[in-house]
């Protein structure tokens, strides 16, 4: 069914699970089973989603490594209907991660993006062919639901991630609940560790009583439905947050990688795993055949467990939602674009383009030059003269200010830089002068700065940010390796 949604032929499993752990499984299979796929006959189907919804306004392909977006959904239609969790047949994504495979093919890092993250969703194509208007400051998982179909909208999620990170996504993979269950069984179960006993009410908070014991405290091995239950636990453990669950899912992925490696690379162990993986996944057309998947897997076969890291994008709570913290997040994306590992080492080697060395990412701490950039400034507050103050700051850095005015709304809390088609890089350069400012694409031409209360309270330029070869310490310190023992850190509990 290459090039079409599974639903078009009636054979597509509607539910797509996107738990970081589940998703990691597909990447895991590719990563670990790559050596063996050359002599395995794959019987699982390989389904693709249509790529005609990928935006035409994409970041340039400047990274020396490869970026793979892994997503899924908690719809319970089709084969997933009896596996528990969410309701309804609309594909909804949970947490996702962007996997960066470094150019040396020996290192990889998976960056989790919380489902509740507030982001800007660019224009996306609906099933009927119409393109939506861009959405500002909305939940990340809403991108996958654009069009409200059972299979979800992977292209829209890819557009959103490219818009958020400035990184070009080379491949996108979607994994479903039923496939995840098969994968964990095919590998013979996955070792996990729990800091406390877990009861039925911890899986379903609406139960009037705590119910029966589901998981005992301590180390154990889970597969199938029990593996699904494990990665879905949110309430009754730790702080009950999605962030805590992300950490647990990252540990699960690492444990699974380690388990597959320990079983050895031979036809007996790899055939069930490879077939389960191909049946579980929906991929972009670039991976839509056994040969393409094999080539992709072979490119990652030398990645060491210790060099496979799991991190979460810098974040903070914004009410009940999650805000992505700048400039720390930009520094993380810049490091990946420059092919720097999270410990600051250069893993680039040679780029994919005829052996040329990768272009250096622009430094977020270097001098800001606005030469050739035209900007209009609007005061989004009731503070008199704020637009003029911001305009003067821009002029001192070489920007051309085309005018100042009062914004339509004067209750702006945070500064926003809006931009028209093709002006994303210029907008991000502009935003560097305003600490914490977010950028968003609009239907209006040019670049507009709407200064908010944050600029009135802190009018000085943003403090120095980490250099692009230095990932923020909070991210690096929280990294987990695939070879870590599942009981070595129960802070995610």
């Amino acid at each position: 069914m290459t090039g079409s949604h599974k639903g078009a032929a009636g054979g597509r499993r509607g539910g797509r699970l996107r738990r970081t752990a589940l998703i990691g499984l597909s990447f895991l299979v590719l990563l670990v089973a790559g050596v063996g796929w050359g002599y395995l006959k794959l019987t699982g189907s390989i389904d693709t989603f249509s790529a005609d919804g990928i935006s035409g306004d994409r970041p340039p392909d400047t990274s020396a490594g490869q970026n793979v977006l892994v997503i899924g959904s908690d719809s319970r239609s089709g084969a997933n209907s009896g596996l528990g969790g969410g309701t309804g047949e609309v594909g909804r994504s949970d947490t996702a991660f962007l996997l960066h495979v470094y150019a040396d093919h020996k290192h990889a890092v998976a960056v989790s993006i919380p489902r509740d993250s507030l982001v800007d969703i660019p224009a996306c194509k609906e099933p009927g062919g119409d393109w939506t208007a861009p959405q500002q400051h909305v939940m990340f998982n809403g991108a996958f639901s654009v069009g409200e179909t059972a299979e979800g909208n992977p292209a829209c999620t890819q557009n959103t991630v490219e818009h958020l990170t400035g990184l070009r996504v080379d491949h996108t993979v979607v994994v479903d609940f039923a496939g995840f269950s098969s994968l964990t069984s095919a590998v013979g179960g996955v070792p996990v560790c729990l800091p406390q006993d877990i009861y039925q009410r911890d899986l379903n908070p609406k139960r009037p009583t705590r119910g029966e014991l589901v998981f005992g405290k301590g180390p154990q091995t889970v597969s199938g439905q029990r593996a699904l239950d494990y990665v879905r636990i949110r309430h009754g453990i730790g702080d009950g947050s999605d962030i805590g669950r992300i950490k647990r899912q990252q540990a699960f992925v690492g444990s699974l990688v380690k388990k597959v490696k320990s079983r050895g690379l031979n036809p007996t162990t790899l055939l069930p795993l490879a077939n389960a993986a191909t049946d579980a996944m929906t991929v972009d057309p670039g991976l839509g055949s056994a040969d393409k998947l094999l080539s992709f897997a072979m490119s990652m076969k030398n990645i060491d467990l210790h060099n496979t890291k799991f991190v979460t994008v810098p974040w903070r709570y914004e009410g009940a939602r999650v805000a992505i913290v700048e400039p720390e997040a930009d520094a993380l994306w810049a490091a990946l674009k420059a092919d720097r590992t999270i410990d600051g080492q250069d893993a680039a080697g040679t780029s994919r383009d005829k052996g040329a060395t990768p272009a250096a990412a622009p430094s977020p701490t270097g001098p800001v030059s606005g030469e050739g950039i035209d900007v209009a400034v609007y005061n989004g507050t009731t503070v008199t003269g704020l637009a003029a103050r911001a305009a003067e700051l821009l002029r001192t850095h070489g920007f051309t200010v085309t005018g100042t005015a009062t914004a339509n709304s004067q209750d702006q809390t945070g500064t926003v830089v809006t931009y028209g088609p093709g002006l994303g890089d210029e907008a991000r350069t502009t935003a560097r002068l305003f600490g914490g400012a977010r950028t968003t694409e609009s239907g209006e031409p040019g670049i507009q700065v709407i200064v908010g209360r944050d600029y009135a309270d802190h009018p000085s330029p943003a403090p120095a940010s980490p250099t692009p070869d230095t990932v923020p310490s909070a991210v690096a310190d929280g990294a987990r390796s695939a070879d870590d023992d599942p009981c070595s850190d129960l802070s995610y509990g």
Side-chain angles (χ1 to χ4, degrees):
M1 294 182 223
T2 301
S4 63
H5 288 288
K6 289 181 184 178
R12 176 167 188 162
R13 289 181 302 271
R16 301 278 172 224
L17 174 64
R18 175 82 188 338
R19 313 283 178 202
T20 301
L22 319 190
I23 298 168
L25 293 179
S26 58
F27 129 62
L28 267 187
V29 173
L30 294 173
L31 177 70
V32 184
V35 173
W37 278 18
Y39 55 88
L40 291 179
K41 177 177 174 59
L42 298 181
T43 60
S45 60
I46 301 175
D47 297 297
T48 65
F49 64 86
S50 175
D52 60 0
I54 302 298
S55 173
D57 183 17
R58 305 182 64 188
D61 188 10
T62 57
S63 175
Q66 292 191 76
N67 300 306
V68 183
L69 174 62
V70 191
I71 58 177
S73 139
D74 59 6
S75 167
R76 296 301 183 276
S77 64
N80 301 292
S81 59
L83 294 174
T87 58
E89 295 195 358
V90 174
R92 290 181 171 84
S93 69
D94 203 74
T95 50
F97 65 67
L98 182 66
L99 174 70
H100 180 74
V101 181
Y102 290 87
D104 67 352
H105 300 298
K106 296 180 180 179
H107 297 75
V109 60
V111 184
S112 294
I113 304 173
R115 64 178 184 178
D116 292 348
S117 300
L118 296 172
V119 301
D120 294 335
I121 298 178
C124 290
K125 190 173 184 179
E126 296 183 305
D130 294 332
W131 286 77
T132 63
Q135 303 177 61
Q136 285 78 45
H137 211 51
V138 295
M139 284 174 55
F140 171 74
N141 68 345
F144 195 75
S145 299
V146 168
E148 298 190 336
T149 61
E151 59 267 23
N153 197 328
C156 186
T157 301
Q158 179 176 320
N159 293 342
T160 302
V161 169
E162 290 191 335
H163 180 80
L164 170 68
T165 66
L167 293 165
R168 192 179 185 94
V169 174
D170 297 287
H171 295 296
T172 293
V173 177
V174 183
V175 182
D176 67 19
F177 254 3
F180 168 73
S181 178
S182 298
L183 279 166
T184 57
S185 297
V187 77
V190 179
V192 299
C193 200
L194 281 161
Q196 65 191 61
D197 291 340
I198 300 297
Y199 294 86
Q200 288 177 313
R201 188 164 57 187
D202 298 323
L203 295 177
N204 180 11
K206 295 181 180 180
R207 285 183 59 93
T209 63
R210 75 175 187 176
E212 298 179 0
L213 180 71
V214 179
F215 296 102
K217 177 181 178 179
Q220 53 209 281
T221 298
V222 297
S223 63
Q225 181 68 55
R226 283 179 58 78
L228 288 171
D229 290 341
Y230 174 81
V231 297
R232 284 175 44 227
I233 300 171
R234 176 170 179 175
H235 303 280
I237 185 171
D239 62 2
S241 72
D242 190 54
I243 301 297
R245 181 168 56 181
I246 286 174
K247 293 180 180 179
R248 186 167 61 254
Q249 293 165 350
Q250 290 172 341
F252 186 94
V253 173
S255 187
L256 176 59
V257 175
K258 194 172 182 179
K259 177 64 179 290
V260 175
K261 284 276 192 181
S262 70
R263 287 164 56 89
L265 301 176
N266 60 73
T268 301
T269 58
L270 289 179
L271 184 55
L273 193 61
N275 282 326
T278 54
D279 191 53
M281 296 186 299
T282 299
V283 300
D284 67 89
L287 294 177
S289 71
D291 287 344
K292 292 176 181 178
L293 277 172
L294 173 61
S295 176
F296 175 63
M298 290 293 286
S299 73
M300 298 195 292
K301 66 184 176 66
N302 292 323
I303 298 176
D304 186 80
L305 290 178
H306 182 71
N307 293 330
T308 304
K309 307 292 186 181
F310 300 91
V311 301
T312 302
V313 65
W315 64 277
R316 61 175 172 79
Y317 283 117
E318 184 170 307
R321 304 304 180 205
V322 171
I324 293 177
V325 175
E326 302 295 0
E328 288 82 359
D330 273 347
L332 173 60
W333 309 134
L336 298 186
K337 187 177 293 186
D339 217 45
R340 300 279 182 175
T341 61
I342 61 174
D343 58 2
Q345 299 301 307
D346 186 354
T350 58
S351 74
R352 290 171 287 163
D353 185 13
K354 298 182 180 179
T357 55
S363 169
T365 59
V368 177
S369 173
E371 182 178 355
I373 302 177
D374 295 342
V375 182
V377 184
Y378 297 88
N379 187 352
T381 75
T382 56
V383 179
T384 303
L386 199 62
R389 184 193 308 173
E392 183 59 28
L393 172 65
L394 288 160
R395 291 190 184 99
T396 62
H397 286 268
F399 292 82
T400 298
V401 177
T402 59
T404 60
T406 300
N408 293 332
S409 173
Q410 293 183 277
D411 59 357
Q412 190 84 22
T413 57
T415 298
V416 177
V417 180
T418 67
Y419 61 92
L423 294 174
D425 288 343
E426 291 84 349
R428 285 184 280 274
T429 296
T430 306
R432 286 174 54 199
L433 291 180
F434 303 91
R438 62 185 180 90
T439 60
T440 179
E441 186 174 5
S442 69
E444 301 295 325
I447 297 175
Q448 298 83 35
V449 176
I450 303 95
V451 289
R453 171 60 63 174
D454 59 340
Y455 183 66
D457 296 338
H458 305 285
S460 59
S465 308
T467 58
D469 62 349
T470 305
V471 173
S473 59
V475 175
D477 293 344
R480 183 178 184 92
S481 297
D483 63 348
D484 287 348
D485 186 275
C487 290
S488 64
D489 177 17
L490 293 181
S491 63
Y492 56 81

